[in-house]
Amino acid sequence: MSWIDIGHIDDIPLRGARLVKTPVGCVAIFRTAEAEVFAASNACPHKAGPLSEGIVHGQKVTCPLHNWVFDLNTGEAQGADEGRIATFPVRLEGERILLDGVAVGKRSAA
Amino acid sequence: MTKKLIVIGAGMASGRMLEHLIDAAPGAYEITLFNAEPRGNYNRLMLSPVLSGEKTYEEIVTHDAAWYEERGVTCRFGEKVVAIDTEKKVVTGENGALPYDKLVIATGSNPFIIPLPGHDLEGVIPYRDLEDTEAMMALGAGKRAVVIGGGLLGLEAAAGMAARGTEVDVVHIMGHLMERQLDEAAGYLLRKSLVDKGIRIHCKANSKQILSDGNGHVRALQLDDGTELPCDLLVMAVGIRPSTALGKEAGLEVNRGIVVDDHMVTSNPDVLALGECVEHAGAIFGLVAPLYDQAKVLAKTLLGEEARFVQKEVATKLKVTGCDLFSAGDFAEGEGREDIVFRDPARGVYKRLILEGNRLIGAVMYGDTADGAWFHGLIKDASDVEEMRETLIFGPAYQGGAAADPMAAVAALPRDAEICGCNGVCKGQIEDAINAGAGDLGAVRAKTKASASCGTCTGLVEQILGATLGDDFVIPAAQSICGCTDLSHEDVRQLIKSQELKSQEAVWQELGWTTRNGCHVCRPAVNFYLLADWPLDYVDDPQSRFVNERNHANIQKDGTYSVMPRMWGGMTTPQELMAIAQAAEKYGATVKVTGGQRIDLLGVKKEDLPAIWHDLNQAGMVSGHAYTKGLRTVKTCVGSEWCRFGTQDSTGLGIALERRLWGSWTPHKVKLGVSGCPRNCAEATCKDVGIVCVDSGFQIGVAGAAGMDVKETERLVDVRTEEEAIEWTVAFVQLYREHAKYLDRPYKWVAKVGLDWVKETLADAAERQALVERFDISQSVYQKDPWAERAKPEVARRFHPLADLTLEAAE
């Protein structure tokens, strides 16, 4: 793992998301509670809808295009839909958001 | 020879440690105890009950001087330690020096004082010791206090003073109270009980300065929005800092606290430390449970026995009568989590368990915390809860009990809760009618008139029938909003009004939602209902809106957006057209003329939205709201101004209506049309509101459609003047805003409630006027150009990626 500081927790609205551009494509960082974040691929496997623009509820996000719902823990589509989005290690250190650089295709800094 | 032990600080941790030490080996050490305060040890945790008057100081003393002396401890109370020499192993007090073999530092912590201007004024105190408590007790009735800090201690201080009749304001910088221990739902309930006690709570409030009365005494706290909160006493309860000065001077390793290892030994092998002054494995301590664990370990270390301090999950309880809350473990952060939520609105109960795999890792409870210790045990022991997952939330006593009652929310309503807004019928009247023999919906309607007008409260009346008659009444299955609740849209709308629910948390809790914060189906609906019914109290939540309304542009299938400026009544100018043309060229947009008499710019990138808005704003244009459940367009023909058949100024009326209605949120989109004569060139008769001008005045039609369904408008009324036409239109839109189900266009809503009811309601001039007034109040909040607000650089930033990690990828 190589943790990269990508921003302050308040840069993401509560129950909202922001995008991070990475070598493996756009990653959405979701803030599901005051101090709870998840990272997952931004593209819905259905029609590539931008998940960072979806409604965030509980620990899930609903795709803005056709309402597919994904569990951010596992990346699995919920209900009758079948599909999965990639998830990435992300954590909070105090108020800073740290994303695992290796998982998103950055070479380790060391 | 007996070894000499010196202990600095007679607090709760050192008191407990000496108990263990002396119990285990009475004569092992010759002990001297220094304490800067002129007294022994009292239970600091119990200061709050002393403040509220539930206990006296005498009752909370745990170790007085006599207790220590009986056990052969030499007490040097009221004497400060001035130096520690770890080379010579000597401690120097104000009254002389003393050698030691082992030294224990238990100096505790100091309250943190925010260095606001005025923090040194008289009447500004922390909440730490008996003196602070006495200052608060002395205040009493008729005086005012401000508490900065909505954490555990701050709230106990506030509740204690309020119990003595003092008027209290609590100022908290975060979004909800006790955010470190509670989630938003429990924070909402806590706030509600404190407000019931007469305490005013200000969340998300930043303190700016403390104002003086001119004689060096505090007069008020000023917030950064300019609000002044007058007070006779200001209590800062914003946290503690380990008291490490002595340790630092003695040359011990100190970070945030005095660093100790698992045996509670500092960087010097003969100096040990415990309590709030220490740092262990990066953590510092403020709650009593870990301090008692440290006391046990330190006593054993002194006796040469092996023992290690291990940090455990800590549980929190608030000592405020009537505020029963419990929080343990981790409920905020991490992946692989699962929630179990239980709410009982009747008893004001909220419980949330957080599971990770088969283990319980956190619990938050409010209102009923009887099972707290049991849950805490499961967390600490990391027990496998797979077997009892289904019933876990009901606690240890649960075995085969009844499932949660879907009618609980309605059953919990008080008798004076208004069920039928049209006819002003309360729950009690309906119950009385049922008990007097009205056994079905028709009978209740006949007897009480409840649900006999617009009919939207039918579901609630049926649930009251069910709750009153039990199995004798079968409730017809009403469509609930979504899986988060058993209530229908109509039920929720009515209860938001009658129970005065003014926040999302209030709706989730009082109506018994089964999820943490709804889902993509119910949350946008609830957000609309709240802002429509409580425009001045509720703040619109962009995170509860679909992407288009959040980004104020329509997302297209390739992820780009379309941008459409407003053209009032379909009129534009050469200047506007040039600005639109320039913007289209600059941002590479495709240009399309729409059916609503405006121009659409397609294919704009999200990052470019704030810039293109700025450019269009500069030319005097505002958002066309082509993306909202709100007023879209008012389509007009050229009317009497140009047309040889025109009877009235249809363009002018269209512009006046659009200027009045723009910016308002509605259950679904609203489109208007105004035609200058019955030839109807503006196609007004298939709009939500369509006005056709005639020689004698204006024919107002409503509930037309030209989408999935095609339907001609129905005549609402004929009026003579333009003013009347505007008044009726605004009143109709407001009635729709207040009553319709989210995502019902006006024609669907009118079909449900009946045009007769709409006509009857609006025919009452006073009611019509009241509707217009309520609409205008809402417009005072919502009639703002969203583009201008978001084109500002600090907001525009949010339209860009948070970070770009591709930049140095090529290195």
Side-chain angles (χ1 to χ4, degrees):
Chain A
M1 297 229 178
S2 101
W3 295 106
I4 301 176
D5 185 327
I6 52 168
H8 189 276
I9 180 72
D10 287 337
D11 290 336
I12 308 179
L14 185 55
R15 291 184 290 280
R18 292 284 296 276
L19 265 193
V20 173
K21 291 186 175 176
T22 79
V24 298
C26 283
V27 169
I29 312 291
F30 299 91
R31 183 181 182 190
T32 49
E34 287 286 351
E36 185 177 81
V37 289
F38 292 94
S41 160
N42 187 47
C44 178
H46 176 217
K47 301 265 183 182
L51 296 174
S52 61
E53 303 290 2
I55 288 182
V56 177
H57 48 100
Q59 294 177 327
K60 302 189 183 95
V61 64
T62 299
C63 177
L65 294 195
H66 306 96
N67 287 339
W68 282 37
V69 179
F70 297 90
D71 184 332
L72 295 171
N73 290 295
T74 60
E76 293 289 342
Q78 305 291 290
D81 298 320
E82 279 181 34
R84 193 179 165 280
I85 48 171
T87 58
F88 303 96
V90 65
R91 66 185 180 92
L92 284 175
E93 193 167 291
E95 299 183 322
R96 306 302 302 180
I97 306 165
L98 305 182
L99 180 67
D100 179 20
V102 175
V104 297
K106 296 276 286 186
R107 271 172 300 163
S108 172
Chain B
M1 207 183 88
T2 331
K3 285 191 278 185
K4 293 187 174 60
L5 171 70
I6 295 181
V7 179
I8 305 174
M12 298 179 67
S14 76
R16 178 58 68 96
M17 184 276 291
L18 287 172
E19 272 180 33
H20 286 306
L21 182 67
I22 295 167
D23 281 353
Y29 283 96
E30 186 187 321
I31 305 168
T32 305
L33 177 61
F34 283 89
N35 198 27
E37 281 186 66
R39 63 176 80 85
N41 179 21
Y42 56 92
N43 187 343
R44 261 181 220 281
L45 294 180
M46 287 293 152
L47 282 174
S48 293
V50 170
L51 174 59
S52 62
E54 288 159 55
K55 280 199 176 355
T56 63
Y57 171 66
E58 288 68 33
E59 289 176 78
I60 69 164
V61 172
T62 54
H63 308 79
D64 54 11
W67 185 92
Y68 290 113
E69 274 154 20
E70 276 168 30
R71 285 156 183 82
V73 176
T74 310
C75 295
R76 289 174 68 163
F77 288 175
E79 178 178 355
K80 278 192 183 127
V81 169
V82 291
I84 299 169
D85 185 338
T86 53
E87 292 277 308
K88 294 186 188 146
K89 296 177 58 167
V90 168
V91 167
T92 309
E94 288 167 322
N95 301 331
L98 196 70
Y100 67 81
D101 295 302
K102 293 282 178 188
L103 172 66
V104 172
I105 301 180
T107 43
S109 63
N110 297 316
F112 180 64
I113 295 284
I114 312 169
L116 290 174
H119 71 273
D120 44 5
L121 288 169
E122 219 177 287
V124 178
I125 61 165
Y127 180 24
R128 186 65 193 145
D129 57 23
L130 189 61
E131 280 73 24
D132 302 329
T133 311
E134 281 167 349
M136 287 188 259
M137 287 161 71
L139 216 52
K143 298 282 189 170
R144 297 191 55 158
V146 167
V147 177
I148 302 182
L152 199 63
L153 217 49
L155 296 180
E156 290 185 1
M161 287 190 281
R164 291 180 179 270
T166 307
E167 253 185 78
V168 184
D169 286 276
V170 173
V171 174
H172 191 49
I173 194 163
M174 303 303 288
H176 67 269
L177 297 172
M178 290 183 66
E179 77 287 346
R180 283 167 58 196
Q181 292 88 12
L182 300 183
D183 59 10
E184 287 166 290
Y188 156 77
L189 282 170
L190 173 60
R191 181 192 182 115
K192 198 173 140 190
S193 2
L194 293 171
V195 168
D196 284 345
K197 290 178 190 294
I199 299 170
R200 282 180 294 265
I201 309 275
H202 312 263
C203 282
K204 283 189 183 157
N206 274 308
S207 303
K208 189 178 173 198
Q209 58 177 330
I210 303 169
L211 304 173
S212 159
D213 66 353
N215 295 315
H217 195 276
V218 59
R219 170 174 71 79
L221 175 71
Q222 191 182 48
L223 305 180
D224 65 358
D225 66 359
T227 313
E228 281 187 22
L229 304 171
C231 59
D232 304 291
L233 187 72
L234 189 145
V235 182
M236 277 199 204
V238 291
I240 53 170
R241 297 285 178 275
S243 171
T244 57
L246 267 180
K248 214 176 267 178
E249 279 166 33
L252 303 175
E253 187 190 345
V254 172
N255 289 330
R256 282 193 298 164
I258 300 172
V259 177
V260 294
D261 63 13
D262 292 350
H263 305 289
M264 308 311 296
V265 178
T266 68
S267 57
N268 180 313
D270 292 318
V271 182
L272 298 86
L274 84 166
E276 290 179 340
C277 63
V278 306
E279 176 178 326
H280 173 266
I284 57 174
F285 307 88
L287 296 169
V288 76
L291 304 197
Y292 283 171
D293 286 345
Q294 292 175 1
K296 215 176 282 176
V297 171
L298 196 149
K300 289 204 167 167
T301 305
L302 282 175
L303 295 171
E305 295 170 30
E306 166 66 22
R308 281 171 187 276
F309 171 63
V310 182
Q311 292 180 32
K312 289 188 194 139
E313 290 299 343
V314 177
T316 308
K317 274 195 134 179
L318 181 75
K319 288 172 300 303
V320 173
T321 309
C323 299
D324 210 2
L325 68 81
F326 175 89
S327 132
D330 185 355
F331 55 89
E333 210 175 318
E335 295 188 26
R337 299 280 167 91
E338 199 186 328
D339 275 334
I340 302 176
V341 176
F342 171 79
R343 304 184 202 243
D344 181 350
R347 294 187 298 141
V349 169
Y350 168 77
K351 297 184 189 185
R352 179 170 151 230
L353 301 179
I354 299 88
L355 294 154
E356 195 168 64
N358 295 331
R359 318 246 175 258
L360 182 65
I361 58 160
V364 186
M365 290 188 271
Y366 194 93
D368 173 6
T369 56
D371 299 332
W374 186 67
F375 287 125
H376 190 201
L378 293 178
I379 296 169
K380 273 198 299 195
D381 305 341
S383 311
D384 187 333
V385 297
E386 183 60 26
E387 293 284 297
M388 44 184 169
R389 181 179 283 249
E390 294 295 313
T391 56
L392 186 64
I393 195 133
F394 301 111
Y398 180 88
Q399 280 309 326
D405 182 1
M407 291 193 304
V410 171
L413 293 174
R415 276 178 59 84
D416 63 357
E418 188 178 81
I419 300 297
C420 174
C422 298
N423 297 304
V425 186
C426 296
K427 183 185 171 192
Q429 290 165 268
I430 297 171
E431 283 176 337
D432 293 345
I434 297 169
N435 290 328
D440 59 32
L441 187 64
V444 171
R445 271 187 189 156
K447 189 117 182 182
T448 64
K449 293 279 181 295
S451 78
S453 292
C454 79
T456 46
C457 61
T458 303
L460 290 177
V461 174
E462 285 170 345
Q463 292 200 43
I464 295 171
L465 273 161
T468 312
L469 296 176
D471 293 341
D472 295 340
F473 183 80
V474 179
I475 301 176
Q479 189 102 38
S480 69
I481 298 182
C482 63
C484 302
T485 176
D486 288 316
L487 297 169
S488 71
H489 281 274
E490 288 77 10
D491 297 345
V492 171
R493 277 223 88 162
Q494 176 58 21
L495 292 170
I496 283 175
K497 289 187 179 70
S498 71
Q499 298 309 100
E500 304 199 359
L501 307 178
K502 298 181 180 178
S503 67
Q504 288 191 12
E505 285 303 336
V507 172
W508 309 150
Q509 175 60 32
E510 305 300 340
L511 304 186
W513 241 249
T514 57
T515 47
R516 216 160 110 187
N517 46 35
C519 68
H520 67 273
V521 178
C522 60
R523 219 164 75 212
V526 167
N527 183 55
F528 169 73
Y529 296 152
L530 286 165
L531 74 85
D533 283 328
W534 308 109
L536 301 180
D537 301 282
Y538 177 73
V539 182
D540 177 42
D541 174 27
Q543 301 312 322
S544 299
R545 293 189 170 279
F546 291 112
V547 52
N548 293 350
E549 295 188 336
R550 192 175 339 112
N551 288 342
H552 291 274
N554 275 323
I555 195 163
Q556 305 298 315
K557 68 174 197 176
D558 63 352
T560 64
Y561 290 81
S562 82
V563 170
M564 199 188 298
R566 203 167 271 291
M567 283 182 179
W568 308 97
M571 298 296 287
T572 183
T573 63
Q575 288 73 29
E576 286 185 351
L577 288 173
M578 282 189 276
I580 289 171
Q582 277 164 3
E585 212 166 52
K586 184 167 164 190
Y587 301 101
T590 298
V591 185
K592 168 88 175 72
V593 174
T594 74
Q597 302 185 334
R598 332 199 262 187
I599 292 174
D600 195 3
L601 302 174
L602 292 142
V604 180
K605 290 203 262 320
K606 185 183 179 191
E607 298 92 290
D608 287 337
L609 289 173
I612 191 170
W613 295 338
H614 174 79
D615 291 358
L616 295 170
N617 273 167
Q618 292 301 86
M621 285 175 276
V622 299
S623 167
H625 291 96
Y627 45 82
T628 59
K629 319 277 182 274
L631 177 80
R632 295 284 180 91
T633 65
V634 182
K635 190 170 177 174
T636 68
C637 66
V638 293
S640 58
E641 178 98 17
W642 298 93
C643 180
R644 61 208 163 98
F645 299 116
T647 59
Q648 310 278 356
D649 178 13
S650 53
T651 324
L653 175 58
I655 292 171
L657 281 168
E658 190 163 355
R659 292 220 178 255
R660 185 71 178 267
L661 294 170
W662 76 280
S664 61
W665 297 102
T666 44
H668 206 311
K669 55 188 172 186
V670 171
K671 294 180 177 178
L672 272 61
V674 185
S675 287
C677 76
R679 288 170 191 78
N680 195 15
C681 295
E683 293 158 358
T685 51
C686 62
K687 300 295 182 196
D688 297 298
V689 180
I691 298 177
V692 177
C693 303
V694 289
D695 259 336
S696 59
F698 306 84
Q699 299 173 339
I700 303 177
V702 295
M708 295 240 262
D709 299 307
V710 179
K711 178 179 169 290
E712 195 182 342
T713 50
E714 297 174 67
R715 190 72 59 82
L716 178 66
V717 68
D718 291 352
V719 295
R720 292 182 55 81
T721 65
E722 216 176 88
E723 289 69 45
E724 288 172 289
I726 293 172
E727 184 192 319
W728 276 81
T729 303
V730 171
F732 173 80
V733 169
Q734 179 65 10
L735 194 67
Y736 168 61
R737 296 180 77 236
E738 290 180 3
H739 289 271
K741 171 183 162 226
Y742 187 66
L743 299 186
D744 265 358
R745 288 286 289 267
Y747 77 95
K748 286 200 173 167
W749 167 66
V750 170
K752 284 181 187 167
V753 301
L755 184 66
D756 289 343
W757 177 77
V758 175
K759 277 181 170 170
E760 217 172 278
T761 308
L762 294 180
D764 178 345
E767 181 56 38
R768 207 163 60 237
Q769 197 47 47
L771 283 161
V772 170
E773 273 168 27
R774 290 202 290 276
F775 182 78
D776 287 342
I777 286 173
S778 172
Q779 287 296 75
S780 73
V781 178
Y782 288 105
Q783 196 172 63
K784 286 194 196 101
D785 178 26
W787 287 0
E789 291 179 346
R790 283 158 188 80
K792 293 176 195 150
E794 65 275 17
V795 189
R797 223 165 30 90
R798 299 226 151 175
F799 286 79
H800 291 259
L802 179 61
D804 188 346
L805 305 181
T806 61
L807 291 178
E808 329 99 288
E811 66 177 309

